Amino acid sequence: MAIQPIRIVIQGIDQFSSTIAQSQKKIENFGKGLSQVGKKMSVGLTLPIVAFGASTIKTAADFEKAMNRVQVLTRASEDQFNSLRKQAKDLGRTTVFSAVQ
């Protein structure tokens, strides 16, 4: 008679283990899905930020290159050149033309 209750307990444990295994798989799949969403969001945010940074660096490099050329061509003193640099930046900020233009 004692065997029957043991069998019931074992069947209950087997069913419980199966349910736990199914739940674990669902949780793993959910985690994988969240990971994919995170990767897509990261790419969607990171690429524009990197592109903006690269554009900013290129603009700064272009400005420096143009100002070096102005300094060579005008043979301006340091004070005169600093004044020209400041004016170029101000004009780039306040007109439709860039500082390099």
Side-chain angles (χ1 to χ4, degrees), residues 63-79:
F63 178 75
E64 288 302 318
K65 183 178 175 183
M67 291 309 295
N68 288 340
R69 187 164 186 253
V70 167
Q71 187 175 23
V72 168
L73 293 174
T74 62
R75 296 184 181 146
S77 70
E78 187 175 341
D79 289 340

Side-chain angles (χ1 to χ4, degrees), residues 2 8 11 15 23 28 31 47 49-50 54 63 70 73 80 97:
I8 292 172
Q11 286 175 346
Q15 289 174 349
S23 296
E28 286 175 6
L47 289 179
I49 291 169
V50 169
F63 178 75
V70 167
L73 293 174
Q80 291 170 328
F97 300 103

Side-chain angles (χ1 to χ4, degrees), residues 10-98:
I10 290 173
Q11 286 175 346
I13 290 172
D14 286 346
Q15 289 174 349
F16 181 73
S17 295
S18 176
T19 302
I20 293 293
Q22 290 173 357
S23 296
Q24 184 178 2
K25 284 185 181 186
K26 288 179 182 179
I27 291 170
E28 286 175 6
N29 288 337
F30 180 73
K32 287 177 185 176
L34 284 180
S35 177
Q36 292 299 321
V37 168
K39 286 178 186 177
K40 288 178 183 177
M41 287 179 67
S42 178
V43 168
L45 293 173
T46 302
L47 289 179
I49 291 169
V50 169
F52 176 75
S55 172
T56 301
I57 290 170
K58 182 181 180 331
T59 300
D62 289 347
F63 178 75
E64 288 302 318
K65 183 178 175 183
M67 291 309 295
N68 288 340
R69 187 164 186 253
V70 167
Q71 187 175 23
V72 168
L73 293 174
T74 62
R75 296 184 181 146
S77 70
E78 187 175 341
D79 289 340
Q80 291 170 328
F81 181 68
N82 288 337
S83 178
L84 283 170
R85 176 186 291 277
K86 183 181 180 308
Q87 185 174 10
K89 287 181 179 181
D90 289 342
L91 290 172
R93 225 180 353 262
T94 59
T95 68
V96 295
F97 300 103
S98 72

